[in-house]
């Protein structure tokens, strides 16, 4: 129910509707604010029509069979809240995504992407980015331009390092890097004063850097399925100050 004085969003929910193509009813009007097409069998989105939906603030295309996104997705400049693209068959993301500079949440996980485009750095309003299980081996330097980012989820990839620019993510609170191939805790993290939770489960870490005990906001550090000595510094110092450390 909408709060008093607020309008109910104009929404079309076709979740789990057994769709193999986008039905014509989607295109009968161009003022949808929420469009949910998740959990169907869609293989493509009509390019010419997608760009008409300028009023959308939320678009859910997750759990389909999309192999590509049209460049026109960058014309959805009204997207401010959520864009779900996870669990498809996308092998690349269009550079036009970088034009969505008011979007707050993006999920592109569970796609065989291999890389994220440098244009990602144009998405300046992102608060949460999820790209788990996307076959990533590296991240673009433009990641550091996401100055409002609070949560970054990158588990289940093949990452060994973060770009140096990650040190500019000074609003970051949650960092999930589990099941990658990090040989050590990324140096860029020492510059992040608001970082509360770091998940490094299932990597190749043996030794922790001394500076991690000085991260002022750190509340939880998950190091399970690494080779870190539970009694070695700085683990005791972290626990003494109240940080939960799992080894």
């Amino acid at each position: 129910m909408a709060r008093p004085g607020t309008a109910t969003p104009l929404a079309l929910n076709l979740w789990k509707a057994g769709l193999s193509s986008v039905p014509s009813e989607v295109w009968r009007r161009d003022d949808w604010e929420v469009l949910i097409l998740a959990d169907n069998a869609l293989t493509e989105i009509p390019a010419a029509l997608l760009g008409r939906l300028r009023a959308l603030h939320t678009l859910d295309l997750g759990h389909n069979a999309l192999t590509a996104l049209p460049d026109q997705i960058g014309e959805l400049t009204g997207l401010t809240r959520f864009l779900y693209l996870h669990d498809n068959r996308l092998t690349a993301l269009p550079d036009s995504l970088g034009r969505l500079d008011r979007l707050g949440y993006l999920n592109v996980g569970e796609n065989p992407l291999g890389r994220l485009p440098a244009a990602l750095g144009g998405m300046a309003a992102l608060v949460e980015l999820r790209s788990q299980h996307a076959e990533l081996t590296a991240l673009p330097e433009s990641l550091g331009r996401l100055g409002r980012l609070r949560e970054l989820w990158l588990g289940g990839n093949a990452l060994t390092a973060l770009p140096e620019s990650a040190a500019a993510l000074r609003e970051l609170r949650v960092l999930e890097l589990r099941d990658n191939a990090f040989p050590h805790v990324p140096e860029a993290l020492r510059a992040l004063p608001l970082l509360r939770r770091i998940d490094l489960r299932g990597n190749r870490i043996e030794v922790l850097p001394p500076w991690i005990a000085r991260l002022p906001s750190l509340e939880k550090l998950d190091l399970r399925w690494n080779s870190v000595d539970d009694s070695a510094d700085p683990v005791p110092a972290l626990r003494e100050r109240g940080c939960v450390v799992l080894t």
Side-chain angles (χ1 to χ4, degrees), residues 5-87:
T6 64
T8 301
L10 187 59
L12 180 59
N13 186 348
L14 294 172
W15 173 69
K16 274 192 175 180
L19 303 174
S20 58
S21 62
V22 180
S24 59
E25 65 187 287
V26 171
W27 317 117
R28 287 184 188 142
R29 54 193 309 163
D30 59 9
D31 55 350
W32 299 116
E33 296 173 79
V34 177
L35 177 57
I36 299 173
L37 294 168
D39 279 282
N40 286 292
L42 302 177
T43 58
E44 63 177 355
I45 303 295
L49 296 172
L50 182 62
R52 294 176 51 212
L53 304 178
R54 303 295 179 88
L56 280 182
H57 62 63
T58 295
L59 175 60
D60 190 348
L61 296 171
H63 303 292
N64 277 289
L66 301 175
T67 58
L69 291 175
D71 285 338
Q72 284 81 354
I73 198 165
E75 297 175 16
L76 301 180
T77 52
L79 281 176
T80 56
R81 299 186 185 178
F82 301 95
L83 176 55
Y84 297 95
L85 299 169
H86 58 292
D87 193 18

Side-chain angles (χ1 to χ4, degrees), residues 9 20 22 37 40 61 85 127 135 164 171 179-180 184 207 209:
S20 58
V22 180
L37 294 168
N40 286 292
L61 296 171
L85 299 169
V127 173
E135 301 182 12
E164 292 183 8
E171 291 294 318
D179 298 327
N180 276 281
H184 50 73
V207 178

Side-chain angles (χ1 to χ4, degrees), residues 114-141:
R115 58 181 290 273
L116 297 177
L120 182 79
M123 305 180 78
L126 277 184
V127 173
E128 184 169 341
L129 172 61
R130 290 179 177 256
S131 188
Q132 297 145 294
H133 302 281
E135 301 182 12
L136 304 179
T137 58
L139 299 169
E141 280 292 333

Side-chain angles (χ1 to χ4, degrees), residues 213-236:
R214 297 190 291 274
L215 288 178
S217 302
L218 192 61
E219 298 172 354
K220 183 177 181 180
L221 176 62
D222 199 334
L223 295 163
R224 288 175 289 177
W225 310 308
N226 285 282
S227 300
V228 176
D229 184 346
D230 187 67
S231 62
D233 289 335
V235 174

